[in-house]
Amino acid sequence: MPRLRFEGRGARPATAGWPGPRSRQILEPGPVSKVSISYPQGLWVSESGGVFFSDNDNRIIRHLESGQINNFATTPKNSNSFGLFLYYAAALVANADYFYLSDPNGHRVWRISRSDGSVEPYAGTGSDTQTSEREAALSQGLAAPSGLALDLAGNLSIADGVMNSKLGRILRVEAGTGRVTTVLSNLRQPSGLAFQSPESLCFAESGANQIRCVNLANRSVRLIAGVGAAGYSGDGGPAECARLNRPSGINFDGADRLYIADTGNQRVGLVRFGKQVGVQ
C-alpha cells in the first residue's frame, strides 16, 4: 500500500536570484547572485546538469549552469512574428529537440527549439473557450493548459484545467501529426502530470485534492493519494487516506517514489509504493 510522507516546510536555500518584490523586465543575464527572477515555475534539468526554467513575469526561459544565468528564449510583448507573447508559464518539459512550455493565461502551449531558442505556438488558439477534439493542435481551444508530460514517442499530454468546475481534461497531441485526442474529461482542475510507466500517466487533480493515475491502454483510473476533501492529515499513513490541499506539481524519481507539491498546505509530500515511510 502506498504511504505518504510530508517533507515539511523547511528553509528555502537560495540557488539563483534574489528575494524581494518581484521585478519585471530585468532581463540581463549574469551571476546567480545578481540576476532578478520573477515567479520561476516550470523547470527542466538537462542531460549535462544545466537547469532551464521559466521566469514567468519576465516571460523568458532562462538557463542556469556553473553559477551563471543566461537568457535562452523569450517572446517579448508585441515583438514576435506571431503577434503573441508568453504570459505565466506553468510547466516546462523537453525531449532531445524541443522544450514545451504551457501558458495557462495565454491559453497555449509553446514549442521552443533547443538548438536556436526559436519559439512557435504548438497547441491552442489563444482563446480560453474549450473546443471538442480537432485534428490539429493549433485549432484546439484550451482554457488553462498547465501540466505537461512527454512519452517516449514524443506524444505530449496536456492538463487543461478550469477552476471550480468539472470541465478539466487531459489531452494528448500525437507527435508528427499534431492530432488531438482526449485521454480523460470531467476533471476538477487537473494540473501536474507525470508518467509512472509508459502505460500509466499520473495527474494531480487540484480541485479534487487527489492524485490519480490513468492506464492509457484501457483508460481505467486508480487512486494514489488523497481522500478527496481538502485538509492536512495522514503523514506516514496510507496515501489514499491522507488529506491534501490543492496539489499541483508531481514527479517520480528513479526509485519510483512520487513527490507531490501540496500547494495549499505549503508542503512537499512523498509517496513510496509498498513501503512504510520514515522521516527523511
Side-chain angles (χ1 to χ4, degrees):
M1 179 180 293
R3 296 282 180 169
L4 175 69
R5 181 71 190 181
F6 287 96
E7 298 298 289
R9 297 173 186 266
R12 294 186 297 174
T15 300
W18 45 273
R22 56 193 177 102
S23 301
R24 303 183 68 149
Q25 303 307 324
I26 300 178
L27 310 181
E28 296 80 7
V32 294
S33 61
K34 302 295 184 181
V35 175
S36 174
I37 57 181
S38 184
Y39 288 134
Q41 198 169 49
L43 184 146
W44 181 262
V45 180
S46 70
E47 299 82 357
S48 65
V51 175
F52 293 84
F53 63 93
S54 60
D55 186 348
N56 294 342
D57 271 11
N58 288 322
R59 303 184 182 105
I60 302 173
I61 293 178
R62 289 183 145 158
H63 181 206
L64 166 63
E65 193 162 17
S66 302
Q68 187 82 7
I69 293 178
N70 292 302
N71 298 337
F72 179 75
T74 184
T75 54
K77 187 174 181 179
N78 298 327
S79 64
N80 82 47
S81 59
F82 295 92
L84 309 167
F85 60 96
L86 301 183
Y87 286 85
Y88 297 88
L92 183 69
V93 297
N95 57 23
D97 300 314
Y98 295 102
F99 288 106
Y100 296 86
L101 177 66
S102 62
D103 181 6
N105 287 357
H107 320 295
R108 293 184 184 271
V109 175
W110 302 84
R111 185 169 73 173
I112 301 101
S113 169
R114 293 186 67 173
S115 63
D116 61 13
S118 59
V119 180
E120 61 181 348
Y122 185 71
T125 63
S127 168
D128 65 354
T129 302
Q130 287 183 324
T131 56
S132 57
E133 292 182 12
R134 294 175 180 262
E135 289 298 313
L138 288 173
S139 300
Q140 178 70 53
L142 301 174
S146 53
L148 302 175
L150 281 166
D151 65 19
L152 296 177
N155 304 308
L156 180 69
S157 295
I158 303 170
D160 186 25
V162 180
M163 290 188 67
N164 303 318
S165 80
K166 292 192 69 176
L167 296 177
R169 56 196 179 161
I170 297 174
L171 304 175
R172 180 176 179 264
V173 182
E174 293 183 3
T177 67
R179 181 174 178 268
V180 177
T181 57
T182 300
V183 176
L184 283 179
S185 58
N186 299 319
L187 301 176
R188 296 176 60 188
Q189 199 179 355
S191 53
L193 300 178
F195 279 97
Q196 184 179 23
S197 70
E199 299 81 22
S200 181
L201 176 63
C202 299
F203 59 95
E205 193 172 1
S206 295
N209 306 294
Q210 291 182 319
I211 309 298
R212 298 193 286 165
C213 297
V214 56
N215 184 305
L216 297 177
N218 58 24
R219 297 298 195 266
S220 62
V221 177
R222 60 190 171 96
L223 175 66
I224 297 298
V227 298
Y232 174 60
S233 67
D235 190 6
E240 63 268 28
C241 297
R243 285 180 179 261
L244 306 174
N245 190 351
R246 302 198 67 81
S248 54
I250 60 173
N251 210 348
F252 287 91
D253 65 12
D256 198 35
R257 297 178 299 186
L258 175 65
Y259 289 85
I260 303 169
D262 191 15
T263 304
N265 287 322
Q266 302 184 64
R267 305 268 178 170
V268 175
L270 171 63
V271 176
R272 282 186 175 176
F273 294 85
K275 294 182 179 180
Q276 175 70 47
V277 177
V279 177
Q280 301 298 303

